[in-house]
Structure formats: structure tokens, C-alpha cells
Amino acid sequence: MAKDGLTEFRLIGTRPDRPDGLDKVTGRARYGADFALPGMLFGAVVRSPHAHARIVRIDTSRALALEGVKAVVTRADLPDGLEGEDWDLQENTLAGDRALYDGHAVAAVAATSRLLAEEAARLIEVDYEVLPHVIDVDDAIRPDAPVIRQGAADASVPEGMPPNVVRYMEFGHGDIEAGFAEADIVRERSYRTEAAHQGYIEPHACVGQLGADGAGEMWVCTQGQWYIRRMCAAVLGLETAQLRVTPSEIGGGFGGKTTIFMEPLSLALSRKAGGRPVKIVMSRAEVLRATGPTASASMDVRIGMKKDGTITAARAEFRMQGGAFPGAPVDMALYCAFAPYKLPAVQHIGYDVLANRPKCAAYRAPGSPMGAFAVESLLDEMCRELGIDPVEMRLTNAVREGDRASYGPTFGSIGLVEVLEAAKGHPNMAAPLGPNQGRGIASGYWFNHSGETSVSMAISEDGTAQVSVGTPDIGGSRASIALMVAERLGIPYEDVRVNVVETGALGVNEPTHGSRATFASGKAAVVAAEQAIAEMCRRAAAEWGIDAEAVEWVDGAAQPAGPNAGRFPPMTIAEIAGKMGQTGGPISGHHEGLPEGVGASFGAHVVDVEVDPETGRVTILRYVVVQDAGRAIHPAYVEGQYQGGAVQGIGWALNEEYVYDDRGRLANPAFLDYRVPVASDLPMIDTVIVEVPNPGHPYGVRGVGETGITPPLPAIANAIEDAVGVRLTHLPMSPSKVLAALKGRG
Amino acid sequence: MSKVHVTTTVNGDAVEFLADPRETLLDCLRDHVGLTGTKEGCGTGDCGACSVEMEGVLVCSCLVLGVEANGKRVDTIEGMSDGHDLHPLQRKFIEHAALQCGFCTPGFLVAAKALLARSPDPTEEEVRYWLAGNLCRCTGYDKIVRAVMDAAAEMRQEAA
């Protein structure tokens, strides 16, 4: 399906076994909690049971008196004077004078066993003065709401805004009122989404060691070891280069492991315990209460449309709470909300609001699913009203290369039209529907992030290659990077080993986030391979006594570039590598930079549902994900990203939400009650990989990891209306909400 | 709390350890026996990452006390392959890309093996309901279900 027809690769697009597969099916792979060191202590964290409370007194004496307890830390052990995001991280690591949410860490203890540490944590006495709290975003934005933190607003917030608004944005283009005046119908609706958790199955875990000299080490499950290093150093006042962070295998992250939570505590405890290493493993309840879920949102959308489906103007006002700290992804939600549409006039307004909830973290396409829920739902309703096919409406308004994006820039090569055409032609679109069954479609968008990237590769003595990358492998990126390097070097896939390395081994890398690993580390690895190839060509040229420019690299060997270059048999990578010690020393390549040429990815999902009119339960009957991958390096893992993203979106749409009681305590901090989709909830998830190659990547890669979570929320809402004629505007669309809507219909 | 001497058989090997009576079988396997392939995802029996077989019965090892393993036979992910020969389920999981992060994989493999022992020719629906106690957040289950069905087919062919 490639646009350029140039898909003749030796390895790109094949599906070899992933290199880390054997370790992962035998239980050998070492994740965060699997690491241990001699003399290791175990840490436990004391957490606030209140949504908002002044910390009056912390008495650690009974805990410290317990035999085997080696250290206790409170905020008094952390340095003063931090500002901005560093202060936010420190405040979230350990509460200062107030606990800001249920689960906020207040103290931590290290002891000789896990059970002892937990017992000691229970002996730490904290006196609280409970303060009024606020949970809901619309409540938090009221002028008389309890104030989370005075002075937290940045310069973007105009005078006179309510105190919990900490960021404000307004952007757009065109004459919005003229656009609405031109429309045949103008419709407006409000939508709400609830906070959802990434739900990675592996709880956060680390082992930290820090000596009196300020030098330390950490082993941790993370999406980004350099982020861990920088953030821990900032929170603890360490010199960054003195901390060496080694990533373990990672049991899922989805954005939630791009920041720190309890990691600095292991280092702080270690320092107080004479430098003994300290292991901290979160419980599931701690993960849900005190790591970073996504924001909750309250959104108003207004759209003008002509009778033929042309959108004339669009306006979105989004309010999001991301917990007790700035950072709700309202900006990203607004950038993505109208991204699939070419709009003559558009206006975006956003509010980032504080509430007494945990500090939100990134969750797969942060913000985009909420915005899509609002916009794609309203568009579907307008198509119904006008009797227009929802796919045709999307094609009528689809952005193409050269169009101005709703959020400002001009699109380069994109594949939205190809995606919509593929969805239109998919057999699921023609599947018959029975009573109480309906079909929904929605589009989605996410960027492709570049970011700081450092990669090195070295040719081994036998002509095999090792690649060192700084982006942890969450979903098969070792395989995709090995495929690209092997393709370029002209050697077997099995001859390339990709290692995810620690912070001491490379320059700075951003995490595996922003759908960047295969794009950015992959692109840098190809550049590194090309440097090694150039050097190998020089070695061959020197041996042959010809110019290096007269040597080319073909099928894993140097050869004269043409008959005029001389007649020499090809010199293979193994031959060159075998004598590199005599011909000039090691052969390697490396690349450090911000890889340019990112390629954004559009998707469209088609879902068929059945609604049980007795219970309100929604069953997914069929599901297909269509998305532009640019080019699928390892198609099985591209499909895996599509399927996994879709199912996370299905969970968010139908079941998942943070439920708070009237005292602001999280009421469902367990997988039993925070219910993610299970195998019996789902059908097979069909996928169509559209390939409109990204010209900015040597093999055409786009970021594929995140777009897939975006369309399910609106697609399912649209399918429910198609099935039973009710429109749900508040997630999750749980049986009780669907039943209430059906009853309201009469 | 005084510890209890536990004698058990893990993956066919005789094993002894001292367990705090509050420790789960999962804790004991990971911390005392040194087998960290069995994972803790929730500690409340909801995610299945800690699945093992005790006396041939599939259990969440986070819901079994370590002292309960005394005199019993326990089988974990580390005992699933025969030396270098992977169990068909292990091979099919790799072949079908049925894992992304791989953290839930040991639990899925142990649970799927227990399914195929009692039902060698399961329907897709049977596989989905049997594995409903194992959470995977990466794959959406599609490739896991396919891998289990394919392994079952291969095992039936081998048995025939």
C-alpha cells in the first residue's frame, strides 16, 4: 500500500522473532522488582489518607525505635529553594506543609525486610488538620473553590481568573463568527471524560544507592533513565553526572513511567542509612493513588456545517484538571481535537486547573482522546442530522499535504485520506447489523516526537554489530532497530544486538515517549551504521590502494564502485572486522542530536457494538483499526500498538474511571474496581496498516504508538447512538449510564 | 514474628526456606527461592501475573501463603521449558508477537498451559474466558488468543 512503491527491502517489513522474546517467555527477563543487591534494605512510604490536609506533626520516634529500621526521611531531609517543575517534583515526592491528595507521600522508612518496613511505616504518626478539598474540574474552577496553591498560575493566566486556574491558552485562525454565519447548521454540546490510569501491569520499582560523597546508582523500571537521573538529582540536590541510572526491563508504561514518584526516596533513604541500597516496590493501590493518571476533562464544542458536510467553523473550550500541580494536557488536547479537519476558522480555549488529585502524567497521546471524544461525537451527531455519511464528511474536510493544521503549522506528507479510504473499503463496513446493534466511526491524531537522542554502534571482531540505545524497549523496539541496522549494513537480522544501556554509556536521551523510539533511535542508529560503513569502505580502499570514494557498500561488503575503480573481489564485513586491530583500530559509529523529519500519524477506527437494553451493557462485536504507519518496520509490533491502543481506549470509553468518595479519597484503588478490559470482554481487533512513507526518515517511519487510543472513545459513543438512539456525552459509558440514557429516552 | 520451615518441591527440585507466616507464596518464590519469573501486578488476585500451579491446580500465588506450600508441588514459569526446548506455548507467544512488555507473559503462559491440559481443543471463547483472570495492558489480547489457539493445534497434532 506504499505511496512510493519502493518497498523492496531485504528485512524491513518482515516479522522475525524479537531478540528479547526468549528471556520474556522463560521468566528470565529482569524487571524493576527483580533486582537485588548485597546489604539491600527495603523501603515503605507513609501516605496521606486525606485529600487535603495541613501536616501538623510527624513523629518518627516509634518507627526508629523498631529493631531493623535504618532510616526515615521526611521533607525536612530534602533541600530547599527549588523552583518551577523541580519544586513540583519535590513536593510530589514528599509533601511539605500540606498533603495535596489522597495518597500523597508524607514520609518514608527503610528497614531490613519489607514486612518490617511496612510495620515501621504504620508506626510513623502524622497529625493532620483536614482542609476543604475539591476533586471535580468544574468545581475546582469556581471562584470560591478551596485554593490548592496560591501563586501557582503562570504568566499565561489573565488577571481575575479563579485561583485554581494555573495555565490559560487561546489560539486559532480565521473569522470564527463569519464561519458560523456561513453554516447551515451550528451545534454545540458539552462533554466530560474521567481520569483513567495507564494501568501498566508492573508497579513502579527501584533500587537506589547513594553514598555520603553524593555518588549514586539506581536500577529502575522507567521509560527514560536520563529523566530519572535529572529529576532525582534536582529533587535531592545532587550533581547529575554523579548518578548512574540503569533501566530494567519495563512492564508497560504508556507515558506513566516518564517521570519520578518514589525513586528519589530510595536514594534519600540510602544516604541516611549509610549508603546501603534501598529497594522500593509500589503496591497496586499505591500505583493507582499516587502515580500519575491522566487528566479529567470538561469540554464545550461548537461546530458549523453546511448541508454538504463542509465544516465552516469550529470552537473548543476545554477545562482539565491534572491533579494538584500544573500540567494537564489541555494544550495537546486542543492541538489534536480538530487536527483531521481543514478549517477556515477555528478557535481554541484551554484551562489547566488544579484539584486535590495525584499529579497527572502522560498517558498515550496525552489529551488527544478527550478532545476527540468531544469533537468526533458532535460531528457524528451533525452527520446524522444532515443525513451525511460520516466517512464521506471526514473525506470532504480531510487535511492533506500542504494544508494548514487547525493548530497552526502546515502539514507535510500525511496519510489521512488514504486511511479514510481504507476504512471505507473495509469489509466490516458492510457487515450486517441486528437489533440493538450499531456502527461507529471516528478519526484520531497524534504527533511523532523527535527529542534528544544519542545512539552508538560498534562492529565486533567477527563482523556482527552491537547497537547501544537509550530508549527502553516497551513494545518491540529492539527488533525494529535491529531490522533497520541490519538492512543498512547488509547483514542478517540475527547479527545485530540492540542493547538498552544505562546513563553512563551514552549522551542524554529522552525517554521512550511521544511515539519516538523507532523513529528517533532508529534514525540515529542508521546514521551510526552509515558512519561505520564509510569507515569500512576506507579500510578496504586503503588495502586496495584506491580512493575511498571509489568504494561502495553492497550486501554487507565493500566493493569497487565501478570498473574504473579497479578489480578487487568484495571484502565482507567479517573480513574487514577481523583485521580492524591492524588496519586502524575499532570501527564504530555514533549519532547525537534531535532527529528531524518527524511524521505524524492519523487513524480511523470502525466499531460495531451491541447494547443490552435490559442492563445497558455495551458489547464490542467487531473492531478495526486503520492507521498510517509511514512504513511498518516490524508489522507484528505495529499491529500490536494499534490493538493495544484501541483496547485501552475501549476501557476508557466503557469502564475505567477514578471514583472519589465525598471525602476526596480514591474509592477504587484496585484492579477489581478499576476494571481494565479482560480477554472475555473483547473480539479480535482487526488492523489495517496504511503506509504513506514519512520522507523525514530513512525507511519512512512515522510514530505509531499513540494515535490508537484516541478514536475508540467517540467511535463507541457513535456506535451506541447508531444502535439504540441515545447519545452519551459523559465517560465512561458504563451500564448504569447507558441504562439511564435509555430510560430517559422513554 | 517467628519463621516457619517450609519444605516443598518447585519445578521438580526439592526446596527449603524459612517463611514469615505473613508472606505469600509469591513472596517466598521471589525472595527466598530466587525465582523472579513469577510477577506481582496487584497482590489481590485480580491480574494473574503471579499464576503458578500448586499440586496441578492453577492459583494466584499472591493469594496463597508461603507456609501452605509445605509438602506441596509448585510449578512456575521457570519450569515450563524442557531445557532449551521451549513449550509450544512459549514458542507461539514469540512467533505471534503475543507479548510487548512481557511482564504479564509468565502468568499467561502458566494459565494457558493449565487450560490446554484440561481442554486440548478450546474454542476462542473458552480461551478468552479462561484467560479473563490474566490482565494484559499492551496487546489487547488478540495475539495472545491466537498464540494459545495455535499452540493448542500444534500440541494436538503432536499428540495424534
Side-chain angles (χ1 to χ4, degrees), chain A residues 424-447:
Chain A
K424 193 164 82 170
H426 192 275
N428 280 18
M429 292 294 271
L433 293 168
N436 298 314
Q437 297 183 351
R439 178 165 301 143
I441 180 166
S443 301
Y445 176 69
W446 189 251
F447 312 90

Side-chain angles (χ1 to χ4, degrees), chain A residues 31 34 198 639 656 677, chain B residues 30 39 90 101 137 141 143:
Chain A
Y31 294 83
D34 300 341
Q198 298 83 353
E639 292 163 2
E656 296 176 36
Chain B
R30 291 178 54 84
K39 304 301 182 195
Q90 293 173 305
C101 80
R137 193 59 159 173
Y141 305 103
K143 293 182 189 301

